[in-house]
Amino acid sequence: SAAGVGVRTQDEALAGHLTRTLARHAARRIDWQLVARSGLTSAQALALLQQARPGPAEIAVVVLGVNDVVEQVPSHRAVAHRAALADRLLGHHGVHHVVFAPLPPMHHFPLLPQPLRWVAGHDARRHDDAMARWAATRGDVWHVPIVLELSPASMAADGFHPGEPVYRACGEALARFPAVEGVGVVRH
């Protein structure tokens, strides 16, 4: 979803909503770079990051996980790949803080048939819980809880990818997360 699948432009996607909300709250211009490709697992995203070599940043916002669920990657392996991705961002790309968006509530994806919706939702919650537990052990990585109510109207026409309302809710929630809104926030 970081690539903006489901909407026409990045302005309607996560990046557009995130950067506008950050700029409004920070009262300053936000420079940003998007490194994304639709359909990647966490391991594939790590490989993409190694090729893309993004520049330094105060914060990297990472949106991953649905494809790990779809590809049935075990949660411990997906978290290990995300940990390697965070370490690479922090150690090799000049990023100061890494913020992970949660996995969406796949058990509410309106056009996924049952029992697939239930199974995918269960796996997504398991992956997200593992990610949250891992992030809680770090002082430079955060997992942002976001509560989403999904309906056919909030999703893209395919019923699987986010629509503009979901991107808006996620972008605004990520921008308002204390570690993003006030870079350098210390967790206790």
Side-chain angles (χ1 to χ4, degrees):
S1 60
V5 175
V7 293
R8 292 181 311 253
T9 67
Q10 284 299 325
D11 192 52
E12 297 173 326
L14 180 72
H17 289 290
L18 173 65
T19 56
R20 271 193 308 281
T21 304
L22 278 173
R24 191 169 43 250
H25 286 279
R28 65 182 179 136
R29 192 179 109 210
I30 303 296
D31 293 322
W32 60 280
Q33 177 183 7
L34 178 63
V35 177
R37 187 176 307 138
S38 180
L40 299 182
T41 63
S42 294
Q44 294 165 332
L46 176 59
L48 176 65
L49 177 65
Q50 292 167 336
Q51 295 168 358
R53 301 187 183 277
E58 291 179 51
I59 298 173
V61 175
V62 181
V63 183
L64 284 172
V66 168
N67 292 309
D68 291 314
V69 171
V70 170
E71 296 293 327
Q72 298 182 331
V73 176
S75 59
H76 71 277
R77 189 171 301 141
V79 170
H81 291 133
R82 288 185 216 139
L85 189 139
D87 290 341
R88 181 154 190 91
L89 285 166
L90 294 162
H92 298 290
H93 295 290
V95 172
H96 298 153
H97 305 278
V98 179
V99 175
F100 285 90
L103 272 78
M106 293 180 75
H107 59 289
H108 290 297
F109 278 20
L111 293 184
L112 273 183
Q114 293 293 11
L116 179 59
R117 187 181 333 157
W118 182 87
V119 171
H122 176 75
D123 285 351
R125 287 189 299 266
R126 188 170 35 80
H127 274 249
D128 202 52
D129 290 346
M131 188 65 202
R133 284 190 306 275
W134 170 78
T137 68
R138 303 275 302 247
D140 51 1
V141 174
W142 286 266
H143 174 271
V144 179
I146 299 174
V147 177
L148 289 173
E149 296 298 323
L150 301 181
S151 68
S154 66
M155 302 293 284
D158 66 8
F160 187 81
H161 290 95
E164 189 277 337
V166 174
Y167 282 129
R168 181 179 349 106
C170 291
E172 290 174 356
L174 287 163
R176 291 187 177 114
F177 187 67
V180 175
E181 194 173 54
V183 176
V185 171
V186 177
R187 286 192 296 191
H188 300 286

